[in-house]
Amino acid sequence: GGQCLNQHSHITLATSDIVCYVGRDKHENEYLIKYGWPGDIWFHVDGLSSAHVYFRLKNVSIVDSIPIDDLPTESVYDMMQICKHNSISGCKLASVKMVYTPHSNLKKTFDMDSGTVTYHDNKRCRYGRCEKDRIRVKELEKTKSDDLDVDYYAEMKTNERRIIERKKRERKAQYEKGNDASSGEDLYDPMLDDLRAIKQKAAASGGDAQSGLDAGLEALEGLSLAPLDQHGGNKAESNTAKEAMPVWMREAEARQREPSADVRFLRERGYTAAEAKAACQSNWSRIEALSNLYLTLGDESEEPSGVMSVEESLEARMEEKAVLVAMFGFVDEDDEASAKFVDVESESSLDVALPITSYESPARYGDAPLLQMEVFVDKVAPNYPAQVPVIALVGGGLSERLLREVTTRVRTEAHEQLGEAQIFNLLSFVGDACTEVVQKETEQLAKERANRLREEKEAAEAKRNEAQAKQGPVPNSFRTETERRNYAKEVAARASSGDTSRVSMEKAKPREYVNTGVSDASLFD
């Protein structure tokens, strides 16, 4: 424990406020990664194999976590000693380099081994040196508890309920003070901090939101300018530029030529033009058409029913809605990393658009929009979670084909989790599935490029062989100087005699003879 730093210097943590989790092997490290809490601080020996050590607050009612730069110096020191002691290589060294970062900054992809992670943003990592301290390690070892029956999932859910209760108390206090948000305490919220970090990262790579450039670009987007080739422009250059555009941009331009807004809506979510037009011909609403197309993606002939009662389904939805509000915050149109609820006030309404922050579009997609998972249950799946929710994916720079492929996999995954609150699991599944299909696309593009380069090389080689066949064989080396001169005279004789089969004479010009005063022998030399 100890006194916190900076803005949290008024908080002093006791030993009972802190719990430290240490992974005993790579499989337990994997559980800790999967079921970590927002605000957990992850410690590891930099560059060496070691246990994953997590700093977590417990029994603290004021805040759920402390920012990484405000942690007590004593706590950081103890975490580093524990981590170094649980490193096979590091425990033998007198000093090691340590790295620690928020749990939300850990990045896990489908192709990584168990217990292996990387970082979303290296700027959120902190480093330090850890010197061997046997006395302190012995003191910390006395507090160790080998509890083999830790239910990580249950602890995570308990923490989520605690966050919900705290937020309800805060909202109630603000309401009693006349909804004056500025009158309340400025409490640190680790989840909102993560969302702000995502927003700042997006702003750093895009517009500045201050100089007016963003507003100008937004205004230009609304203008309809005629294509250059309609007024005498170079059509070939226009086509070349269009081919260089990412696929999602070309598809977006093609959708703009579609007169029906409902068809554009369905195509943007991965359905073909024929499917979208057929669905829109019925008297269905846009969401009903989306629901019917989504249900056709599965192989199940009929949906199981009777898994949960109506009361149980409603209670599960209300609990999941409260968790979503606590994790993602309220509707904020200016923050694309926040959840967009259709009706945030109604506890039973669960229609929402959620950002997939675990997915990062590759650089070849350009300035791709944020990938979002849209959930529709209010009208098309009223018995959720006893009924499969309607899921739609949009954005992320994914082509319509890839969006449909991932949506089909999501449909199968959702049916397997029928009867459970599955939105959080689907968020993680969508991020992994999108990363996987993009990786496969990257490998396929690399193969195509390698094949294209090989074909171009073979064509160039064939062209060189053909040209050499016309010119005759050229010796690589000459045994004597006389042999080299005789070969040069032969080439000159063929050129002077007009032998076009061996010397290119496409546009013969009248010969001009100039007396240079240099002998023929010198010219050959």
Side-chain angles (χ1 to χ4, degrees), residues 53-70:
V53 177
Y54 287 81
F55 172 90
R56 178 177 297 175
L57 290 184
K58 203 169 187 178
N59 302 326
V60 178
S61 58
I62 299 178
V63 291
D64 297 312
S65 182
I66 303 295
I68 189 171
D69 293 326
D70 294 359

Side-chain angles (χ1 to χ4, degrees), residues 376-449:
F376 301 98
V377 298
D378 293 351
K379 296 181 179 180
V380 293
N383 296 326
Y384 170 81
Q387 189 177 2
V388 173
V390 175
I391 305 296
L393 302 177
V394 61
L398 298 176
S399 64
E400 295 176 2
R401 178 184 63 82
L402 293 182
L403 286 173
R404 182 186 181 90
E405 179 181 344
V406 177
T407 304
T408 303
R409 295 172 60 177
V410 172
R411 170 73 175 85
T412 303
E413 180 71 14
H415 189 272
E416 292 177 355
Q417 299 182 18
L418 195 62
E420 302 176 1
Q422 53 184 268
I423 293 180
F424 276 114
N425 294 335
L426 291 181
L427 278 173
S428 176
F429 179 84
V430 168
D432 293 341
C434 291
T435 303
E436 183 179 349
V437 297
V438 169
Q439 179 66 25
K440 290 182 178 178
E441 182 190 50
T442 302
E443 295 174 356
Q444 181 64 27
L445 291 175
K447 290 180 181 179
E448 293 177 357
R449 183 175 182 275

Side-chain angles (χ1 to χ4, degrees), residues 90-102:
C91 67
K92 303 175 184 178
L93 301 176
S95 174
V96 295
K97 183 180 179 181
M98 305 295 300
V99 58
Y100 57 105
T101 189

Side-chain angles (χ1 to χ4, degrees), residues 339-395:
K340 306 298 189 299
F341 291 93
V342 174
D343 187 357
V344 72
E345 299 298 333
S346 175
E347 294 183 344
S348 60
S349 176
L350 204 54
D351 284 1
V352 62
L354 299 170
I356 309 297
T357 56
S358 60
Y359 163 80
E360 294 183 3
S361 59
R364 67 174 181 274
Y365 285 177
D367 189 14
L370 183 69
L371 178 65
Q372 290 188 327
M373 184 180 79
E374 299 174 339
V375 183
F376 301 98
V377 298
D378 293 351
K379 296 181 179 180
V380 293
N383 296 326
Y384 170 81
Q387 189 177 2
V388 173
V390 175
I391 305 296
L393 302 177
V394 61

Side-chain angles (χ1 to χ4, degrees), residues 221 277 298 320 475 481:
E221 289 177 355
K277 291 178 180 178
E320 191 166 18
E481 178 66 17

Side-chain angles (χ1 to χ4, degrees), residues 21-65:
Y21 283 88
V22 181
R24 285 167 292 195
D25 52 42
K26 64 180 182 180
H27 302 292
E28 195 166 36
N29 288 338
E30 194 70 20
Y31 277 109
L32 292 172
I33 296 169
K34 183 176 182 181
Y35 297 113
W37 295 5
D40 281 357
I41 306 298
W42 173 86
F43 287 79
H44 197 274
V45 178
D46 190 33
L48 296 176
S49 175
S50 76
H52 291 208
V53 177
Y54 287 81
F55 172 90
R56 178 177 297 175
L57 290 184
K58 203 169 187 178
N59 302 326
V60 178
S61 58
I62 299 178
V63 291
D64 297 312
S65 182

Side-chain angles (χ1 to χ4, degrees), residues 263 267 271-280 293:
V263 173
R267 289 184 60 186
Y271 298 97
T272 64
E275 291 174 335
K277 291 178 180 178
C280 292
L293 289 176

